[in-house]
Amino acid sequence: MPQEGVEGVAWSAAMRSQLERIVAGLDEKLADCLPAYMVPSAYIPVRQMPMTVSAKTDRKRLREIGSSLSVEQLAAFEATGDEKRAPSTEMERRLQTLWATTLSLDTEKIGAGDSFFRMGGDSVSAMKLVGAARLEGVSLTVTDVFRKPRLSDMAVEATSMAGGESELAELASFSLLDDRLSVLHTSIRSRKDPTTAQTH
């Protein structure tokens, strides 16, 4: 039966199978021309594309549909049907705990293959995650979060800090914001010059 409770969204076992066939390999192709944080981690089928009175795509309505989905419902719309893999390394488990705290989620709902942004993260929570990580002795930047949003990939970028919490006190004012601006500048440059994205 189609999934219920989400207006405008069409979903059933047969639809899931069809969707998986349609988007198979799409992530890899998009990754060749888009920054990692812009590659969709979920594809939501709708019964029909919402339109405005001027016959244009109703982007506001699409955002409303997406924001009405719970984390569990979004997980059902992932491109792959693989089972959630539990974090297996020490850094993956540390990041899993930090994600859970930052995003107010249960740790068991976060797998090694999950994306920070699919789980509800955004630019603001990315900055909070970086601050929380440094308090726990984990070196991570906002740039790392945007470029490597998947937990397993982020764990490879993250490193343990010897100074722990004391290093946080030495951070320059607005340094986390500088990280965020660096990501935005990289995105802008990649749009102007597609070859730039391949060098970062």
Side-chain angles (χ1 to χ4, degrees):
M1 294 292 292
Q3 178 173 324
E4 299 179 355
V6 183
E7 182 182 355
V9 176
W11 194 242
S12 67
M15 292 175 182
R16 179 188 180 91
S17 178
Q18 183 179 11
L19 178 65
E20 290 176 353
R21 290 195 299 271
I22 292 174
V23 303
L26 184 57
D27 287 350
E28 290 76 9
K29 293 178 181 178
L30 290 175
D32 289 337
C33 56
L34 293 174
Y37 67 90
M38 293 181 67
V39 177
S41 55
Y43 299 86
I44 305 173
V46 294
R47 299 185 187 282
Q48 61 182 18
M49 190 63 67
M51 308 295 289
T52 64
V53 293
S54 57
K56 295 181 179 180
T57 302
D58 190 341
R59 297 179 183 275
K60 179 181 179 181
R61 180 62 191 133
L62 286 174
R63 287 193 294 269
E64 290 174 349
I65 292 175
S67 62
S68 69
L69 300 172
S70 66
V71 171
E72 291 78 9
Q73 289 170 325
L74 281 173
F77 296 123
E78 287 185 298
T80 63
D82 298 336
E83 292 185 2
K84 189 182 293 291
R85 179 175 71 82
S88 57
T89 68
E90 179 186 355
M91 185 57 73
E92 287 181 355
R93 288 189 288 269
R94 293 176 73 180
L95 286 179
Q96 180 192 41
T97 300
L98 287 166
W99 282 27
T101 300
T102 302
L103 301 176
S104 300
L105 297 173
D106 294 333
T107 54
E108 59 267 21
K109 292 183 178 180
I110 303 172
D114 285 328
S115 164
F116 181 76
F117 300 107
R118 184 191 66 77
M119 300 300 291
D122 54 22
S123 58
V124 175
S125 54
M127 295 176 69
K128 292 181 180 179
L129 173 66
V130 170
R134 286 175 176 171
L135 283 173
E136 295 298 325
V138 176
S139 178
L140 187 70
T141 68
V142 175
T143 301
D144 293 333
V145 177
F146 274 84
R147 290 180 176 170
K148 304 291 184 179
R150 192 180 301 273
L151 189 141
S152 58
D153 295 334
M154 193 183 297
V156 174
E157 295 295 316
T159 57
S160 295
M161 297 189 306
E165 185 173 346
S166 62
E167 287 199 27
L168 184 64
E170 299 175 3
L171 290 175
S173 299
F174 303 108
S175 62
L176 298 183
L177 181 60
D178 289 340
D179 269 338
R180 180 183 173 190
L181 291 176
S182 175
V183 173
L184 293 176
H185 290 163
T186 298
S187 176
I188 292 172
R189 287 198 303 272
S190 67
R191 291 182 181 181
K192 290 182 178 180
D193 179 7
T195 61
T196 302
Q198 303 297 328
T199 62
H200 292 280

